[in-house]
């Protein structure tokens, strides 16, 4: 028996590993449209098996820094698997759900980018159909039964075309084979010869280095249909999460078991439509047809490898896949940029441009014209595509045009550089880097190498690697510091709390503060009991000793735990009745509804003791000011830029606030000034700030209500400036269109006047379409305005000096240097950004005028010295003398030393190199006078 199973397993491994094209086949049912296949999956689980349908999450990961893109359906449910889901959120009530999730696999651990186009199956964007059962709502038997029922009875796939695999155990880790799953498949009628076992690599799924994991079973489809050796493709993976991988590598039973399944829609549709490739299905045929019509190349024929002459079919697949990925990502707020996921998207866009222009010979603007086709095929399932179609088209078209312009410039730079190289010289790494995606022009390095190869020139790859390492080091230094990871409760600690019946921490006292008549805020005292203590490694303990860093879990707290972009509170706690021993609290974090306070114990503390909590008033006030200011800033940006303006993230602490906002183009100085004006007006009116908890459903369709891509608790807190919440949420109310009304769990001022002032001190584009603003408030803002005014007066003084003119060259140089120093000061000063932009523009103009004045004085001085030289050397064929000058700025832009040397040396069959003011070259000639004549003639033609 063992030998026969091993032999069958070997056959399956060979079948799975065999690289073969999809074969033509037909199912007994008719060929359904791709959209119908998706709808059938969802309705099957909803109507027959009571699953709740949830929307696809954005492909931009929500609070998960381990991912560049959402790459699986389970990503959005990680809080459930890890036990950290907010018990007040809608997600906490999920028991069995199903959906179709948008997924992108490009960059990071799962990267299919370079494979797209080469074969008939790889994609960077795909849809994953999935069903889940949380907390043991159902497990292996039901999951396998539902999958078999859907595939064979609903989709009509012949049973004899399906194979299954299960986890066969692992002797090294001591994991037993999943015989339960094997027996389930046998009971469903799958022949034993098609129920085969695999090891850890194939049939044991892990979320990461640590965390939930478990055996999985896969359903495969036999493309060969019983003719010859099986040719298998995976259809569906069913994961049974029943273990937890610990930090030491060991496996522990998971407190709650879950089912997580995933099936690629594109592959399923190919099976049901009897197509040889996913690209032959109706999910792609409209795009392939549009590409054919727009480019005029032969129709798509599905060729790969050497058979694909001219790589035309490869280009079809690349463009069709990439425009889907671009459209979905941009609709979800991921825009082409310079790092992380935006950089990957930029590469995808430029790869699509390369194949469309160089292989398909597409006209300019072609990629943007495909966006409506994507919207037509996917928009019904994902409405955000329809909503953002104009923005998607605009961004794709703009970046396509920019890349084509960069290619033209890049070719000119390459041609010019190659002319200067010797026969065995390598192409300079510095030039290639400046052309690349990491440099100025954004041309992929593989394309640079291809362009060089066409000229028979090799690239200095060692130098390029060195530059890449330096760039990585620079980015690491420039990156925002990663916050120190604090204490947190793992899935076992959370489950133990649930088992003991410990309720989530009551943190409502964090809102217990009031505004006194004198304008001061009074924060209420909070008394609590220590429910549990944790050592630094997360172990639950009954007591902690002096000097020990620990985590405290209390029944209630007035500390704000970091979330929603607002920094955690700081403060201290004392034992009840013992006010002279302070336990400093550095931060508070939320873990599955429990607030963990991180502290250092000055002396022994035990579970069960009563404590009193005091927040750091200055720190809390700073956060409240910045948070209310953030809401006012968001509203002011909408008033200035239009109602479609959206927040893309924020973070605040008492020092400053950071705000990311969608923008089509960078903000002008006038727009920045207008935004500040709106905020100042709201602050000056000292408007009341209303806060109230309401049912989440009540906020669903309020025009103008602002919310972010976050999981909100139910009930949810609404913050409204100037208008009571009940009025803002009234059915016919337009209040949220006219003032700031947002879903927000943060702590806020009770009146806007305490903001004092707001100044935007910095703005930069993170990626095209998203601008990051930095702002300060209160006294800091006033100081920034005063500094801005002082610097403005200095700029005006420099203007007056320039208008008076300089008596001599030294004075002109002093003025030019003063303008340069003033520019450096303004570039880095903490001052209003709108004013900085205006002064920078003025200083650039003044610097140009100062340089022009210097050149004029230098030319006059040069003319005088030339006359002196002619008088001293009235005879002879040449002049050899020393000329003292203040600078070399008098070389004209068109008459450069490099160009002069190149003009002479090229006539002698040589080459030249150098800069604007100094150059050298080589060449061979028997007629020196002719060469000197060339030099004179060139110089006279340029002067």
């Amino acid at each position: 028996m063992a030998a026969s199973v091993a032999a069958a397993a070997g056959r399956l491994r060979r079948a799975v590993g065999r690289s073969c094209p999809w074969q033509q086949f037909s199912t007994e049912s008719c060929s359904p449209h791709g959209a119908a296949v998706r709808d059938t999956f969802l309705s099957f689980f909803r109507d027959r098996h009571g699953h709740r349908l949830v929307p696809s999450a954005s492909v931009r990961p929500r609070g998960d820094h381990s991912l560049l893109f959402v790459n699986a359906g389970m990503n959005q449910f990680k809080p459930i698997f890890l036990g950290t889901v907010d018990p007040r959120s809608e997600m906490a009530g999920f028991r069995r759900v199903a959906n179709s999730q948008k997924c992108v696999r490009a960059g990071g651990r799962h990267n299919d980018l370079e494979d797209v186009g080469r074969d008939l199956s790889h994609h960077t964007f795909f849809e994953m159909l999935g069903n889940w059962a949380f907390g043991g709502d159902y497990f292996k038997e039901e999951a396998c039964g539902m999958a078999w029922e859907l595939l064979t009875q609903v989709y009509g796939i012949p049973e004899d075309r399906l194979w299954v695999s299960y986890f066969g155990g692992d002797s090294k880790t001591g994991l037993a084979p999943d015989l339960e799953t094997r027996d389930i498949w046998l009971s469903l009628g799958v022949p034993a010869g098609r129920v085969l076992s695999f090891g850890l690599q194939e049939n044991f799924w892990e979320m990461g280095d640590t965390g939930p994991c478990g055996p999985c079973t896969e359903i495969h489809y036999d493309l060969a249909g019983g003719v010859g050796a099986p040719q298998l493709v995976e259809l569906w993976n069913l994961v049974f999460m029943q273990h937890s991988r610990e930090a030491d590598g060991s496996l522990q039973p998971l407190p709650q078991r879950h089912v997580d399944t995933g099936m690629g829609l594109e592959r399923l549709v190919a099976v049901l439509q009897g197509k040889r490739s996913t690209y032959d299905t109706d999910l792609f045929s409209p795009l392939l047809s549009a590409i054919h019509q727009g480019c005029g190349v032969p129709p798509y024929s599905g060729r790969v490898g050497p058979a694909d002459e001219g790589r035309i079919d490869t280009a079809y697949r690349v463009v069709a896949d990439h425009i889907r990925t671009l459209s979905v990502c941009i609709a979800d707020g991921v825009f082409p940029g310079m790092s992380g996921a935006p950089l990957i998207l930029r590469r995808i866009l430029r790869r699509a441009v390369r194949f469309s222009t160089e292989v398909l010979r597409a006209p300019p603007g072609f990629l943007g014209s495909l966006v409506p086709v994507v919207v037509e095929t996917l928009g019904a399932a994902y409405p955000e595509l329809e909503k953002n179609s104009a923005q998607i088209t605009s961004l794709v078209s703009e970046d396509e045009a920019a890349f084509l312009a960069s290619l033209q410039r890049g070719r000119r730079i390459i041609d010019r550089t190659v002319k200067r190289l010797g026969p065995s010289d390598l192409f300079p790494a510095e030039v290639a880097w400046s052309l690349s995606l990491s440099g100025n022009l954004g041309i992929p390095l593989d394309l640079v190498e291809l362009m060089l190869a066409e000229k028979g020139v090799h690239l200095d790859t060692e130098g390029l690697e060195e530059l890449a390492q330096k760039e990585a080091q620079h980015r690491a230094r420039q990156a925002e510091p990663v916050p120190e990871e604090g204490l947190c409760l793992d899935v076992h600690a959370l489950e133990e709390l649930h088992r003991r019946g410990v309720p989530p921490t009551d943190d409502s006292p964090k809102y217990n503060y009031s505004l006194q008549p004198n304008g001061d805020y009074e924060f209420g005292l909070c008394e609590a009991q220590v429910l549990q203590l944790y050592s630094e490694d997360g172990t639950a303990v009954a007591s902690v000793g002096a000097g020990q860093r620990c985590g405290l879990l209390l029944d209630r707290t007035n500390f704000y735990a970091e979330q929603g972009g607002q920094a955690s509170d700081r403060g201290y706690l004392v034992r009840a009745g013992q006010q002279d021993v302070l336990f400093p609290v550095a931060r508070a974090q939320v873990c599955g509804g429990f607030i963990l306070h991180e502290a250092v114990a000055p002396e022994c503390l035990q579970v069960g003791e009563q404590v009193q909590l005091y927040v750091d008033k200055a720190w809390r006030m700073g956060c409240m000011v910045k948070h209310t200011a953030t809401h006012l800033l968001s509203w002011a940006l909408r008033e200035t830029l239009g109602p479609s303006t959206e927040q893309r993230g924020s973070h605040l602490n008492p020092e400053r606030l950071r705000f990311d906002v969608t923008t089509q183009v960078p903000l002008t100085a006038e727009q920045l000034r207008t935004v500040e004006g709106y905020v100042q007006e709201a602050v000056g009116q000292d408007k009341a700030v209303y806060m109230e908890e309401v049912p989440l459903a009540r906020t669903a369709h309020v025009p103008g209500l602002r919310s972010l891509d976050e999981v909100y608790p139910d009930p949810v807190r609404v913050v409204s400036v100037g208008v009571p919440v009940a009025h803002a949420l009234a059915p016919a109310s337009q209040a949220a269109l006219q003032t700031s009304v947002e879903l927000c769990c943060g702590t806020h001022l009770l009146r806007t006047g305490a903001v004092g002032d707001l100044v935007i001190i910095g703005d930069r584009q993170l990626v095209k379409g998203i601008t990051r603003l930095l702002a300060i408030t209160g006294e800091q803002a006033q100081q920034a305005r005063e500094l801005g005014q002082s610097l403005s007066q200095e700029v005006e003084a420099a203007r007056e000096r320039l208008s008076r003119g300089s008596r001599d060259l030294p004075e002109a140089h002093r003025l030019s240097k003063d303008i340069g120093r003033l520019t450096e000061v303004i570039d880095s000063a903490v001052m209003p950004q709108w004013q900085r932009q205006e002064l920078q523009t003025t200083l650039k103009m003044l610097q140009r005028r100062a340089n022009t004045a210097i050149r004029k004085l230098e030319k006059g001085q040069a003319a005088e010295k030339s006359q002196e030289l002619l008088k001293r050397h009235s005879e002879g064929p040449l002049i050899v003398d020393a000329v003292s000058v203040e600078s070399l700025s008098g070389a004209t832009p068109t008459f450069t030393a490099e160009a002069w040397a190149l003009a002479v040396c090229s006539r002698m069959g040589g080459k030249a190199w150098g800069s604007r003011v100094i150059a050298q070259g080589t060449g061979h000639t028997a007629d020196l006078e002719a060469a000197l004549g060339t030099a004179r003639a060139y110089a006279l033609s340029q002067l």
Side-chain angles (χ1 to χ4, degrees):
M1 176 65 181
S4 62
V5 171
R11 292 198 305 273
L12 181 56
R13 287 188 178 91
R14 291 192 294 274
V16 172
R18 188 175 293 117
S19 178
C20 62
W22 287 69
Q23 302 296 314
Q24 289 286 354
F25 63 89
S26 61
T27 61
E28 295 177 357
S29 61
C30 61
S31 297
H33 292 297
V37 175
R38 183 196 301 115
D39 292 343
T40 297
F41 179 93
L42 298 175
S43 61
F44 170 82
F45 281 101
R46 179 191 61 202
D47 300 338
R48 290 199 188 186
H49 296 287
H51 285 62
R52 177 176 186 165
L53 300 187
V54 297
S56 168
S58 165
V59 296
R60 184 164 50 101
R62 178 192 290 150
D64 188 343
H65 302 295
S66 67
L67 296 174
L68 289 169
F69 300 97
V70 164
N71 57 23
M74 54 76 59
N75 290 162
Q76 69 169 310
F77 304 118
K78 274 188 179 182
I80 297 179
F81 301 139
L82 296 173
T84 59
V85 64
D86 188 333
R88 299 169 299 169
S89 68
E90 183 182 34
M91 185 180 289
F94 290 174
R95 291 295 173 265
R96 52 175 70 188
V97 300
N99 84 342
S100 176
Q101 173 63 48
K102 300 171 293 185
C103 298
V104 173
R105 290 189 176 173
R109 197 171 154 197
H110 299 285
N111 184 9
D112 292 339
L113 178 55
E114 295 303 323
D115 291 321
V116 170
R118 296 176 180 172
D119 59 24
L120 300 173
S121 59
H122 275 95
H123 303 289
T124 52
F125 164 75
F126 66 98
E127 299 176 68
M128 184 174 284
L129 305 173
N131 62 289
W132 292 266
F134 303 119
D137 189 75
Y138 61 80
F139 206 48
K140 297 178 181 179
E141 184 174 4
E142 297 89 337
C144 293
M146 293 175 193
W148 194 252
E149 177 188 5
L150 176 63
L151 293 178
T152 62
Q153 298 180 27
V154 178
Y155 288 136
I157 297 177
E159 293 185 10
D160 60 6
R161 303 289 287 269
L162 297 175
W163 293 56
V164 296
S165 63
Y166 68 94
F167 179 56
D170 184 75
S171 57
K172 292 182 179 179
T173 59
L175 284 169
D178 186 10
L179 300 181
E180 179 185 0
T181 297
R182 181 201 64 182
D183 293 343
I184 290 169
W185 288 122
L186 293 174
S187 70
L188 288 169
V190 184
R194 297 205 304 272
V195 181
L196 304 176
S197 65
F198 286 103
L200 281 172
Q201 185 174 354
E202 298 89 355
N203 278 94
F204 195 88
W205 183 91
E206 304 204 38
M207 182 184 293
D209 295 334
T210 61
C213 56
C216 63
T217 181
E218 296 176 340
I219 304 174
H220 300 265
Y221 184 85
D222 181 8
L223 297 172
V227 180
Q231 298 173 353
L232 304 180
V233 291
E234 178 193 332
L235 273 187
W236 207 341
N237 189 9
L238 285 63
V239 178
F240 306 124
M241 295 189 191
Q242 59 190 78
H243 304 289
S244 175
R245 178 74 70 181
E246 303 302 306
D248 61 3
S250 65
L251 289 172
Q252 297 294 330
L254 200 62
Q256 291 193 335
R257 303 185 305 179
H258 311 288
V259 172
D260 162 28
T261 86
M263 175 165 56
L265 173 66
E266 291 78 5
R267 187 172 291 178
L268 175 63
V269 172
V271 166
L272 296 179
Q273 294 184 357
K275 300 299 183 181
R276 60 188 295 264
S277 142
T278 52
Y279 288 95
D280 291 332
T281 68
D282 69 336
L283 295 173
F284 285 90
S285 55
L287 273 171
L288 299 176
S289 176
I291 293 170
H292 170 59
Q293 295 173 8
C295 299
V297 291
Y300 176 71
S301 58
R303 295 168 298 179
V304 296
D308 184 18
E309 296 182 8
R311 298 197 302 167
I312 290 178
D313 285 347
T314 298
Y316 264 106
R317 291 187 289 270
V318 168
V319 173
D321 171 85
H322 288 7
I323 193 61
R324 281 166 37 109
T325 304
L326 289 163
S327 298
V328 167
C329 287
I330 294 172
D332 280 348
V334 183
F335 303 143
M338 292 302 293
S339 63
L343 177 59
I344 300 298
L345 200 63
R346 191 180 187 212
R347 287 176 177 157
I348 290 172
L349 197 155
R350 301 203 159 192
R351 191 169 187 255
V353 174
R354 283 174 53 199
F355 276 93
S356 66
T357 57
E358 296 178 7
V359 180
L360 300 176
R361 303 299 177 190
F366 171 69
L367 279 185
S369 71
L370 296 178
V371 173
V373 185
V374 178
V375 174
E376 180 67 26
T377 55
L378 294 175
Y382 310 111
E384 59 274 10
L385 284 165
E386 181 74 45
K387 176 185 175 184
N388 298 294
S389 60
Q391 182 187 29
I392 300 168
T393 302
S394 173
L395 279 172
V396 169
S397 299
E398 287 178 17
D399 206 287
E400 178 185 3
F403 182 45
L404 292 175
S406 294
L407 279 176
Q408 291 182 351
R409 288 180 59 199
R411 289 191 177 99
R412 290 197 297 269
I413 292 172
I414 288 175
D415 290 342
R416 188 165 63 244
T417 306
V418 168
K419 286 180 182 178
R420 303 174 190 162
L421 299 178
S424 60
D425 289 347
L426 295 175
F427 191 85
E430 294 82 2
V431 179
W433 187 262
S434 71
L435 298 173
S436 72
L437 276 164
S438 300
N440 300 321
L441 294 186
I443 303 174
L445 279 172
D446 60 342
L447 179 56
V448 173
E449 291 189 79
L450 182 63
M451 295 161 72
L452 292 176
E454 292 172 351
K455 298 179 179 294
V457 177
H458 295 286
L459 177 60
D460 178 7
T461 53
E462 289 185 7
L464 200 64
E465 179 63 27
E466 186 177 335
L467 288 173
Q469 291 177 357
K470 289 180 179 178
E471 173 68 11
Q473 294 169 358
H474 173 73
R475 286 188 182 277
R477 289 193 298 268
Q478 295 295 315
E480 294 185 11
V482 178
E484 179 186 350
E485 191 170 332
L487 297 175
C488 198
L489 304 180
D490 65 19
V491 64
H492 300 293
L494 291 167
E495 180 58 28
E496 176 61 18
L497 293 172
H498 293 309
R499 188 191 66 78
R500 289 166 45 194
V502 178
T505 308
D506 174 13
D507 64 346
S508 59
K510 67 188 178 187
Y511 300 125
N512 183 18
Y513 53 89
S514 59
L515 178 61
Q516 302 303 302
N518 64 357
D520 292 339
Y521 278 78
E522 183 176 292
F523 297 90
L525 170 69
C526 180
E527 296 185 345
Q529 182 182 21
V530 179
L531 299 182
Q532 186 62 65
L533 293 166
Y534 295 91
S535 63
E536 195 166 353
D537 64 2
T539 302
V541 294
S543 64
V544 292
Q548 186 175 349
R549 180 170 174 253
C550 61
L552 293 86
L553 182 63
L554 312 174
D555 61 342
R556 58 201 309 265
T557 183
N558 57 352
F559 276 65
Y560 183 85
E562 180 158 0
Q563 56 188 315
Q566 179 177 329
S568 160
D569 274 339
R570 299 177 180 177
Y572 63 92
L573 59 86
V574 298
R575 289 192 185 88
Q578 190 176 351
Q579 300 292 316
D580 56 338
V581 180
L582 307 184
F583 290 73
V585 177
R587 74 175 88 185
Q589 295 193 88
V590 60
C591 306
F594 297 99
I595 307 297
L596 194 64
H597 304 73
E598 188 176 318
V600 175
E603 59 180 43
C604 181
L605 184 67
Q606 296 182 335
V607 170
E609 292 196 69
Q610 298 291 322
V611 295
Q612 295 175 340
L613 293 90
Y614 298 86
V615 297
D616 182 324
K617 293 184 179 180
W619 180 272
R620 165 67 80 84
M621 273 300 299
C623 288
M624 288 165 54
V625 166
K626 294 298 187 299
H627 209 148
T628 301
T630 299
H631 282 217
L632 293 176
L633 177 60
S634 178
W635 163 75
L637 285 163
R638 286 202 320 278
E639 291 293 300
T640 304
L641 304 178
S644 63
T645 305
E646 293 185 359
Q647 178 179 342
R648 287 298 187 196
S650 67
H651 189 269
L652 63 96
N653 60 33
E655 296 299 317
R656 63 178 57 187
L657 67 88
R658 184 190 74 207
F659 191 90
D660 300 341
V661 61
T662 57
T663 55
Q664 293 300 316
V665 294
L667 276 71
T668 65
E670 185 57 35
Q671 287 173 326
L672 289 169
R673 192 173 188 173
T674 300
V675 168
E676 287 185 7
Y678 277 120
V679 175
Q680 285 179 306
E681 181 180 359
V683 170
Q685 293 172 350
D686 194 25
K687 294 184 176 182
V689 180
Y690 299 93
M691 290 161 276
E692 184 180 332
E693 281 195 347
V694 301
L696 186 61
R698 190 176 164 196
T699 68
H701 303 291
V702 178
L705 179 71
R706 311 306 291 176
S707 63
L708 301 176
D709 181 26
E710 294 181 359
V711 177
Y712 288 99
D714 189 7
V716 67
R717 195 169 178 83
V718 178
V719 179
S720 175
V721 176
V723 177
V725 172
H727 175 65
L729 300 185
S733 175
Q734 300 291 304
L737 294 172
Q738 300 160 358
T739 188
S740 171
V741 183
E742 296 192 24
L743 303 184
C744 181
C745 299
T747 57
H748 284 268
L749 297 171
L750 300 178
R751 303 196 73 88
T752 61
V755 172
D757 193 4
L758 179 139
V759 168
I760 299 170
I761 59 171
D763 76 324
R764 66 182 179 92
Q765 275 202 301
L766 294 180
V767 295
K768 188 168 183 61
I770 298 182
T771 296
R772 170 163 291 179
L773 303 177
L774 297 178
I776 52 180
T777 60
E779 186 177 342
Q780 286 180 306
Q782 286 298 319
Q783 292 172 351
R785 293 196 188 280
E786 292 170 3
L787 178 58
Q789 187 61 32
S790 174
L791 290 172
S792 178
Q793 292 171 358
E794 290 191 41
V795 171
E796 185 58 33
R799 187 205 302 269
E800 293 176 0
R801 286 174 61 191
L802 188 61
S803 298
R804 291 196 299 268
S806 300
R807 296 186 301 273
D808 51 30
L809 200 53
E811 183 181 351
H813 277 296
R814 283 195 298 273
L815 176 56
S816 177
K817 290 178 181 178
D818 288 345
I819 293 173
R821 282 193 290 267
L822 187 54
T823 298
E824 291 177 0
V825 170
I826 287 175
D827 286 346
S828 59
V830 178
M831 62 182 294
Q833 183 67 6
W834 65 264
Q835 193 171 31
R836 187 195 325 274
Q837 291 182 3
E838 290 183 348
L839 294 181
Q840 285 171 333
T841 300
T842 300
L843 286 169
K844 285 179 182 178
M845 179 269 294
L846 296 180
Q847 192 70 71
R848 285 195 300 268
R849 287 176 54 190
N851 292 342
T852 299
I854 289 173
R855 284 195 294 270
K856 185 176 179 181
L857 289 169
E858 286 178 338
K859 286 180 180 179
Q861 187 182 75
E864 292 176 5
K865 292 183 177 181
S866 297
Q867 292 300 321
E868 293 176 8
L869 286 172
L870 290 173
K871 288 179 181 178
R872 287 205 302 268
H873 304 277
S874 58
E875 297 180 0
L878 53 84
I879 297 174
V880 179
D881 208 325
V883 179
S884 175
V885 294
E886 292 292 329
S887 75
L888 295 172
S889 63
T892 65
T894 55
F895 186 21
T896 66
E898 181 185 27
W900 195 6
L902 185 61
V904 177
C905 293
S906 62
R907 292 291 295 270
M908 297 188 293
K911 59 181 181 178
W913 58 92
S915 66
R916 188 165 59 91
V917 296
I918 188 170
Q920 57 184 319
T922 62
H924 301 278
T925 182
D927 190 351
L928 184 59
E929 285 301 322
L932 292 174
T934 299
R936 293 190 191 96
Y938 181 86
L940 290 171
S941 70
Q942 299 296 315
L943 293 175

